[in-house]
Amino acid sequence: MKSYSEWQQLSQALRVRHQAYIDGRFVDAISGETFPSINPANEQKLADVASCDSADIDAAVASAKQAFDAGVWSGLPPKQRKKILLKLARLIEQHGDEMALTDTLDMGKSISEMVNIDIPDSVDCFEWSAESIDKVYGEIAPTGDDTLVLIEHNPVGVVGAITPWNYPLMMVAWKIAPALAAGNSVVLKPSEKAPLSALRLAELATEAGLPDGVLNVVPGFGHTAGKALALHMDVNVLAFTGSSRVAAMLMGYAGESNMKRVWIEAGGKSPNLIFDDCDNLKRAAATAAAAIFSNQGEVCIACSRIYVQKSIKQEFMAALLKAAERFQPGDPLDPATNMGPLVDGAQLATVERYIRSALEEGGQPLLGGVPEYKDGQGYYATPTIIDGAHNEMTFVKEEIFGPVLAVCEFETEEEAIALANDSQYGLGASVWTSNLSRAHRVSRQLQSGMVWVNTWGEGDTTVPFGGVKASGNGRDKSLHAMEKYTDMKNVFIRL
Ligand code: NAD
C-alpha cells in the first residue's frame, strides 16, 4: 500500500476522463452541457463532466443496438469473448491505483477500502464472469422419443444499466460484467455523483478488445439521461442499483414504454440481532460498529438497526462504544483513514435531518450527534449511536445512508424476529448466537435476501447478492446474475 504522501502526489498528477464514451470514443454531450464533479473531502472541482440527455442516450443506444445486431460481440465464439473480458480484468488490476484514486477523489471513500475491497472485487467480478462464459450449457427437455426440445438462454440485446455512487466501480462491475459475458451490448448511466471511474473503465474495455458500441457510458442526471434510458424503446433490460424511490419510478417507465424487464438492487435498513447466547460479544460489537460506520455508513447492507437482548444490553453497549472509537473521519487519501467524508452536502443535510428527528422523537445520543460542517472543508459526519430507539421512530424506519446507528432492545426470540421484519426493506440481516438451532430458525424466518450468522457483510463472487420487499428483486453476482441478462427460448422439434 502506498503512503499518504504518495497518494497525495498521485492525485496531483491524475488525469480524469470527463466526456461521454459512445461508439468507442470520447465525445462531448450533444448539448455541450457539463456538470462539475466535486471532491467531497475538500469541495474542489475535479472536472467538468459531459451532462448527457435523451439525445446522447439515443446515440448510445443506437450504437449498442447496431453492435448487437451486427454480432461483433454477441456473435463471437464464447472463448473469444472470455479472452477479451479476462484482458479487461487484467487492465483494471494494472490500473488499480488509478481507478482507486479516481473513486476516492470522486466520492470520498477511503483509499484503503478502494485498494483492499473495491478494486479486487471488481477484478474478480470480471474474471469470474469471463470464466463462466464457456461453461454455461443449454438444456434438453425430457419430452419423449419423437420430439427434441432445446431450451436456450440467449442474450437480450441492449442492456441499460443505472448505478449509484457508493461503490462506483464495483457496482458498475456487478452489472456490466455478467451483462457483457452473456453477449449483450450495454449502455451505462453512472451516478452523476461519481461518474469518473466508469468512463475510464470504458476506455480500458476498448483497449482489451471490446468492439466499439458494445459498452457505452453516458454520464448525466437521473431525470434526464437516466429517465431517457429507462424509457427507451430499444433497451431490452434495465439493471438498476440505487434507492427504492427511484427503483419504483423505473418500473413505471418500463410500463410506459416497452415493458422492458427491470432488475432492482435497492435500499436497505438491515437489522442486527444480538442474542444473549452470543459467545463473543466483543466480536459482535466490533462487527456491529464496522457494519454501520465503514464507508461512512453509505452502504446498502449497513446494519443501521441493532436489536439487542435486554439481559446483555449493558455489556454489549460498553463493547460497542469502545469498538466505535476505531472509526474517526479523516482524509480518505490517508491509508490510515477508515471513514471519509459523505458524498456531498445534500447527503450531509440528510444525515443531519435524521439525527435531529431521532433526538426530537426521544432518542438518547450515546455517541456523535449533529455534524459540524465547516465551509469548504469537506462533508464530514461522525459516528453516531442513538439508544432508546424503537420501530415507530422515523430514523429507525427510513434508510439514512450515513453513520447513524439506532439501538433497540428485545426480550424474546419471537419479538426480535417480528421487530426485524417490521420494515419495508429486506436486504441483509445479521444474527449473533452460539445456538445452531436458533441460528437456522431465525434465519429461516427473516424476510431478507441475505442473512449473516456471527458475521456481517461477507460475500463472494460465487454468492448471489440482493434483497426482497422494497430492497429489490434480481441478484447480482453468481451465475444467477447471468440469468437476468438472457432470454429463455424453446425450440420444439417434431422428429
Ligand atoms: P439514487 O436512486 O438516487 O440514484 C441511483 C441512480 O439512479 C443514479 O445513477 C441516478 O442518477 C439515477 N436516477 C435518479 N433518478 C432517476 C430517474 N428519474 N430515472 C432514471 N434514473 C434515475 O441512489 P443513490 O443515491 O445513487 O445510491 C444510494 C442508494 O443505492 C441507497 O438507497 C442504497 O441502499 C442503494 N444501493 C443498493 C445496493 C444494493 O445492492 N441493493 C447497492 C448500493 C447502493
Side-chain angles (χ1 to χ4, degrees):
M1 170 68 97
K2 294 189 162 53
S3 68
Y4 187 15
S5 60
E6 283 172 319
W7 286 116
Q8 284 173 315
Q9 272 168 22
L10 275 179
S11 70
Q12 298 303 322
L14 184 71
R15 191 174 73 82
V16 296
R17 285 24 174 201
H18 53 89
Q19 292 171 290
Y21 199 79
I22 297 175
D23 207 26
R25 62 197 181 96
F26 282 113
V27 288
D28 290 328
I30 292 168
S31 66
E33 294 288 316
T34 60
F35 63 88
S37 156
I38 304 289
N39 176 352
N42 57 20
E43 301 178 43
Q44 285 171 12
K45 188 163 78 174
L46 292 166
D48 287 307
V49 182
S51 183
C52 297
D53 58 26
S54 57
D56 309 279
I57 290 288
D58 283 346
V61 174
S63 165
K65 185 169 170 7
Q66 200 271 336
F68 184 80
D69 292 345
V72 290
W73 176 248
S74 52
L76 279 190
K79 257 188 198 167
Q80 246 171 291
R81 293 209 309 267
K82 177 173 81 170
K83 268 192 188 148
I84 292 170
L85 287 189
L86 282 175
K87 182 151 183 222
L88 177 55
R90 289 287 73 73
L91 286 171
I92 300 168
E93 199 168 42
Q94 282 162 21
H95 294 272
D97 283 353
E98 178 195 345
M99 301 298 263
L101 199 53
T102 303
D103 275 356
T104 290
L105 296 176
D106 211 7
M107 61 67 70
K109 79 160 45 201
S110 75
I111 195 77
S112 349
E113 203 171 297
M114 277 307 304
V115 170
N116 295 321
I117 298 175
D118 297 40
I119 299 295
D121 187 290
S122 306
V123 170
D124 192 34
C125 182
F126 274 101
E127 243 168 30
W128 199 85
S129 305
E131 287 288 2
S132 60
I133 294 178
D134 56 357
K135 295 170 192 68
V136 181
Y137 292 74
E139 298 157 65
I140 295 176
T143 51
D145 284 350
D146 53 357
T147 53
L148 173 66
V149 181
L150 308 175
I151 302 173
E152 302 171 356
H153 300 272
N154 297 315
V156 298
V158 178
V159 172
I162 300 181
T163 52
W165 47 264
N166 63 332
Y167 287 80
L169 179 67
M170 203 167 107
M171 291 300 102
V172 164
W174 288 11
K175 297 290 179 230
I176 73 172
L180 291 173
N184 300 287
S185 296
V186 174
V187 177
L188 165 70
K189 205 297 284 173
S191 169
E192 62 276 23
K193 297 185 183 185
L196 301 177
S197 58
L199 295 168
R200 180 70 173 119
L201 179 69
E203 195 182 21
L204 292 179
T206 298
E207 195 180 326
L210 198 72
D212 293 349
V214 176
L215 173 61
N216 305 273
V217 181
V218 190
F221 291 98
H223 63 277
T224 53
K227 183 174 177 182
L229 185 60
L231 280 169
H232 207 290
M233 297 299 283
D234 287 332
V235 171
N236 306 94
V237 159
L238 198 60
F240 172 76
T241 298
S243 63
S244 304
R245 183 185 65 84
V246 172
M249 292 164 81
L250 298 188
M251 292 175 131
Y253 298 152
E256 281 172 47
S257 53
N258 59 347
M259 294 178 68
K260 53 180 75 63
R261 254 180 289 155
V262 185
W263 296 113
I264 285 162
E265 302 290 342
K269 192 78 196 177
S270 298
N272 192 352
L273 310 186
I274 323 282
F275 286 96
D276 62 4
D277 53 16
C278 165
D279 61 5
N280 194 338
L281 274 190
K282 210 169 148 200
R283 194 155 69 84
T287 311
I292 183 65
F293 301 134
S294 50
N295 207 35
Q296 313 79 244
E298 293 168 333
V299 181
C300 56
I301 52 169
C303 279
S304 46
R305 299 184 284 151
I306 280 190
Y307 297 94
V308 55
Q309 200 151 15
K310 209 170 176 178
S311 50
I312 51 156
K313 186 172 173 200
Q314 211 178 353
E315 189 188 347
F316 175 76
M317 291 309 291
L320 177 64
L321 285 168
K322 181 97 195 94
E325 286 171 12
R326 193 168 79 77
F327 291 89
Q328 300 292 338
D331 184 348
L333 280 184
D334 181 347
T337 296
N338 56 16
M339 265 183 90
L342 299 183
V343 70
D344 62 9
Q347 194 63 21
L348 187 68
T350 300
V351 166
E352 176 174 343
R353 183 162 45 83
Y354 277 111
I355 294 176
R356 285 193 194 286
S357 92
L359 301 181
E360 279 162 22
E361 291 180 43
Q364 299 137 29
L366 297 185
L367 184 71
V370 175
E372 285 169 27
Y373 170 69
K374 295 196 190 85
D375 195 18
Q377 292 182 37
Y379 306 110
Y380 287 95
T382 52
T384 296
I385 299 180
I386 296 180
D387 197 3
H390 57 78
N391 279 14
E392 297 314 307
M393 293 163 86
T394 312
F395 92 115
V396 183
K397 283 189 198 159
E398 297 178 10
E399 183 183 43
I400 303 174
F401 224 51
V404 184
L405 177 61
V407 180
C408 317
E409 59 183 42
F410 67 89
E411 295 200 42
T412 65
E413 183 181 303
E414 295 68 33
E415 190 189 356
I417 295 166
L419 289 168
N421 286 341
D422 175 26
S423 170
Q424 61 170 316
Y425 296 110
L427 191 53
S430 207
V431 179
W432 292 82
T433 175
S434 56
N435 178 329
L436 187 64
S437 298
R438 168 172 276 167
H440 282 293
R441 202 166 51 228
V442 173
S443 304
R444 203 174 268 181
Q445 292 177 77
L446 285 172
Q447 296 163 358
S448 182
M450 297 171 284
V451 178
W452 295 278
V453 177
N454 297 329
T455 183
W456 166 80
E458 288 193 54
D460 192 86
T461 311
T462 59
V463 180
F465 185 105
V468 299
K469 295 158 84 175
S471 292
N473 48 24
R475 293 292 181 271
D476 283 333
K477 311 210 291 188
S478 81
L479 287 182
H480 295 290
M482 215 91 109
E483 292 163 10
K484 299 193 297 188
Y485 305 113
T486 53
D487 278 327
M488 198 189 284
K489 179 193 276 181
N490 305 334
V491 182
F492 204 119
I493 305 168
R494 177 145 299 279
L495 300 175

